[in-house]
Amino acid sequence: MPHTDPSARHPAVLTAPGAPFAVTPDGHGRAVYAGGPRTLREFAEVTWAYGERPFLVAESRTYTYGEFFAAACALARRFTDVYGLRPGDRAVVAMRNHPEWQIAFWAAQLAGLVAVPLNAWWTEEEFTYALDDCRPRVLLVDGERVDRVRAWARRHGVPGLVFHGEPGAGFERYEDLPPADPALGPPDVDVRPGDDATIIYTSGTTGRPKGAVATHLAQAGAAMNPRFHAAVAALERGEVPGQGPAPVSLTTFPFFHVAAFTSFYAVMAAGGTLVLMRKWDAAKALELIREHRVTHYAGVPTTAVQLLDAAGDDGLGTLVHLNTGGAAAPPGLAARCPEGVEPRNGYGLTETCGGVMANFGDSYRRFPGSVGRPTPVTEVRIAAPDGRALPDGEVGELWLRGQSLVRGYWEDPEATAAAFTPDGWFRTGDLATVRDGRVSVVDRLKDMVIRGGENVYCVEVEAALSGHPDVEDAAVLGVPHPVLGEEVAAVVRLRRGATAGAEELRAHVARSLAAFKVPAHVLVQDAPLPRNATGKVLKRDLRQDVEARVRTRGGAAGAGGVARG
């Protein structure tokens, strides 16, 4: 079939005309939610009704929904009345997961500004690149970031606010601003569905990050997507969607990443609570789960595994959902979830404004290699190199089209044209298959190893390695070979105290995969694999070192060689 029908296999009670997640054409060949919000300002204004419910819980303080909304409105008014900002101006947000990150982001939305969340771990050079690119009119940063943007702000005469730190010349301290008046709402500005809402920079694992631009309508669709998947999950458990207590979520994704957007959109829509951590620590996470009676965990697979390891036989307390995203989850993760804890993973990209597919509960346990089914406003195509749609079961590039996709890359028409077809399909660069409506991502298109004409999907080999009890982390990539073109190499980090060697690991992979997929070189190291802030392995950082180690230690071994580092 040419693509998966966005309404196929979705419960009619959710997607039929008049139902909560009914869809309607948008006039451009895409489906959009018929009854959802049209702008992020509209989405945020609804949260005011949650009043005294706790929204943001951090070490520094707790904000109720009423306090949060009043603070966001006050800051939005300052943007328009004091700074003279107008709809369409860019507002950079660069800070840790402080509760005030949410105030700054939503203040930008209430003022009609374009929020630009930047990676909090970037260096001054990386910040300068993005600032030069998006040219913001205001900087909203914490005390740890201010010195990395101060020189740029001074050169361009851009004002800024500093949260949790000393401002210095040219910046104001947020804590010194007048208290918020809860009787005042947001500024009187016109925010339209087609206006730009966010510019979110790609993670840059393969090159310079690009600014993905999402409209309000796209982000509003992204805010509905997790609600839809939660409703489907409730039906599969035999429950009525929307019933029960509001979620209390320990969200450990950095807020600047779209995986966090999926999480906090879902929490805000239900009037739930976000419990924040300053720095990841599995033991501390367990303490917070018990202290705040956390029901939902959201984080990258690496931290989820560490949480399960730390919990051991003591269990996960009040936790009933373990949600992962941002990177591929190891296949054994779902099986490790104790009884009463629903595992969930999914698929999303910066260009999709977060998760557009989800796999959960019993379906996840039965199909651990799948990322699930798409939302009703997301179309899926498995494309051949010429763009032709492939039938079920065949591997091709995953193309997506739908409400929550970005409109393109900021002031980069060439990159936009390369990534998007004229009729709106986005080329993800991921290789995938579809079976019975379930999508499985098998590898990145550029990371696939072609060994002697045979395709080796790195994700498949990484999953096999991760199935060994001694393996804590693994990354697979191709290295040059004079005859085969490429051969498979693996970098493996073992668990503390583990002793498995390269030959044992190769033998383990050989028990489940064809011989040509078994890594010719297994490099065991003590140091963690390099990852970006959202958990993706930075293979470009590994490649040069791996190729050098293979040349010096494994070159004489041929296709069966191994090396230990």
Side-chain angles (χ1 to χ4, degrees), residues 251-383:
T251 296
T252 61
F253 293 115
F255 283 153
F256 59 78
H257 191 268
V258 291
F261 280 60
T262 300
S263 183
F264 66 67
Y265 281 158
V267 169
M268 294 175 72
T273 302
L274 282 174
V275 178
L276 312 182
M277 294 187 72
R278 177 176 171 81
K279 183 179 181 181
W280 168 250
D281 178 86
K284 178 64 175 176
L286 287 171
E287 291 179 15
L288 292 172
I289 288 171
R290 290 164 185 140
E291 178 183 354
H292 298 289
R293 301 191 64 78
V294 169
T295 58
H296 291 57
Y297 175 81
V300 296
T302 302
T303 60
V305 169
Q306 292 170 354
L307 183 69
L308 289 166
D309 288 343
D313 296 334
D314 293 335
L316 294 170
T318 54
L319 208 68
V320 294
H321 293 272
L322 187 77
N323 307 321
T324 61
L333 183 61
R336 290 195 59 190
C337 284
E339 186 176 354
V341 176
E342 179 179 283
R344 184 177 300 181
N345 82 334
Y347 179 90
L349 302 162
T350 304
E351 290 86 354
T352 63
C353 299
V356 292
M357 304 181 211
N359 195 10
F360 36 75
D362 291 339
S363 294
Y364 187 8
R365 290 185 172 94
R366 291 197 307 272
F367 304 99
S370 170
V371 294
R373 292 188 169 118
T375 68
V377 296
T378 306
E379 294 177 87
V380 172
R381 173 184 290 180
I382 304 301

Side-chain angles (χ1 to χ4, degrees), residues 426-517:
F426 171 62
R427 305 176 177 97
T428 68
D430 285 327
L431 291 169
T433 62
V434 175
R435 290 183 175 86
D436 190 32
R438 293 186 183 86
V439 178
S440 296
V441 176
V442 298
D443 209 349
R444 286 291 296 168
L445 188 63
K446 295 179 181 178
D447 283 345
M448 182 180 68
V449 180
I450 303 178
R451 180 189 181 276
E454 297 283 357
N455 293 345
V456 180
Y457 303 119
C458 297
V459 170
E460 185 180 26
V461 183
E462 288 163 355
L465 286 165
S466 296
H468 192 287
D470 280 5
V471 173
E472 180 175 290
D473 204 0
V476 171
L477 63 160
V479 294
H481 188 275
V483 177
L484 299 170
E486 287 184 296
E487 58 185 357
V488 183
V491 182
V492 174
R493 188 188 190 198
L494 301 182
R495 298 182 186 277
R496 184 176 300 178
T499 59
E503 285 295 350
E504 180 180 339
L505 295 173
R506 294 183 73 250
H508 173 79
V509 173
R511 284 194 282 272
S512 59
L513 298 181
F516 69 86
K517 300 179 182 179

Side-chain angles (χ1 to χ4, degrees), residues 400-418:
L400 299 173
R401 182 169 67 175
Q403 179 179 349
S404 68
L405 267 73
V406 301
R407 67 168 178 82
Y409 298 110
W410 175 253
E411 297 185 343
D412 195 340
E414 290 185 4
T416 300

Side-chain angles (χ1 to χ4, degrees), residues 47-57 61-75 99-100 102-104 106 110 174 179-184:
T47 66
W48 172 83
Y50 295 126
E52 295 307 306
R53 290 191 192 181
F55 173 33
L56 302 164
V57 177
R61 63 161 295 177
T62 294
Y63 284 89
T64 67
Y65 276 91
E67 291 169 332
F68 152 76
F69 191 71
C73 287
L75 186 53
E100 290 78 14
Q102 294 288 335
I103 291 171
W106 289 104
L110 293 171
Y174 176 73
D181 183 348
L184 294 177

